Amino acid sequence: MMKLDDLRRIYTEDDLSYYPGDRELRYRLFSPFLANLAGKKVVYHERFVAIVELSAVEVTTERFSAVATILLHVEQRGRPLILPRRPWRFGGHWEHMMLGGHHFHVPYAAWSIWPEPEIVSAVEEHARNGRFTEALKLSVFDDF
């Protein structure tokens, strides 16, 4: 199975991260990573960072969307936040979705997700053990 690193080796920064991008190309490249996420965990970042479970995942030729439910909050020192208590829907159109590091994000909507299971597992393990700085380094502060 292809990894996000593979996309960065094969395609240009413009292909993956130029804003807005080529809708058809991004659908073709990004949808395989996002289409099978129902019932799975991802790292989610907006105003907060959390491990969330996704449901009601929709992938069309126009857009991606899903419903997120928080499973585990990743604390950020100095940022006390009120977390959503109920599931919420997020998404975006392919031409606005960008690949950065090991995550997808939509700048105008201000959300990012890390879908790769290895990263999700590592972030979750760090957060469960109170190692929030390490969890954030693998996600929000990934520097690819």
Side-chain angles (χ1 to χ4, degrees), residues 4-141:
L4 295 179
D5 285 338
D6 297 327
L7 288 182
R8 281 197 304 282
R9 277 193 293 278
I10 298 168
Y11 295 93
T12 68
E13 186 72 19
D14 286 354
D15 291 336
L16 303 173
S17 298
Y18 187 78
Y19 187 86
D22 179 309
R23 180 179 55 81
E24 290 84 14
L25 177 64
R26 296 222 177 133
Y27 167 70
R28 187 168 48 83
L29 298 180
F30 298 170
S31 65
F33 293 92
L34 301 170
N36 298 313
L37 291 177
K40 296 190 179 160
K41 299 174 190 176
V42 300
V43 178
Y44 182 93
H45 176 246
E46 196 170 325
R47 296 177 316 275
F48 57 91
V49 181
I51 302 291
V52 302
E53 181 178 55
L54 298 184
S55 60
V57 174
E58 295 180 15
V59 174
T60 69
T61 57
E62 297 294 321
R63 67 187 325 263
F64 159 80
S65 68
V67 172
T69 303
I70 292 179
L71 300 174
L72 176 65
H73 176 231
V74 178
E75 293 180 27
Q76 299 173 73
R77 185 182 306 208
R79 291 197 66 189
L81 300 168
I82 298 173
L83 301 174
R85 293 184 193 172
R86 290 177 282 173
W88 69 95
R89 179 167 288 282
F90 70 98
H93 290 89
W94 296 114
E95 61 268 23
H96 299 144
M97 192 172 298
M98 300 163 59
L99 176 64
H102 292 102
H103 66 283
F104 294 105
H105 62 111
V106 176
Y108 74 85
W111 62 260
S112 300
I113 59 169
W114 287 256
E116 292 181 307
E118 311 80 42
I119 292 175
V120 176
S121 293
V123 169
E124 183 175 22
E125 180 181 339
H126 285 310
R128 287 200 186 284
N129 291 302
R131 297 187 306 264
F132 300 115
T133 300
E134 290 85 351
L136 293 169
K137 284 180 183 176
L138 291 173
S139 55
V140 176
F141 301 126

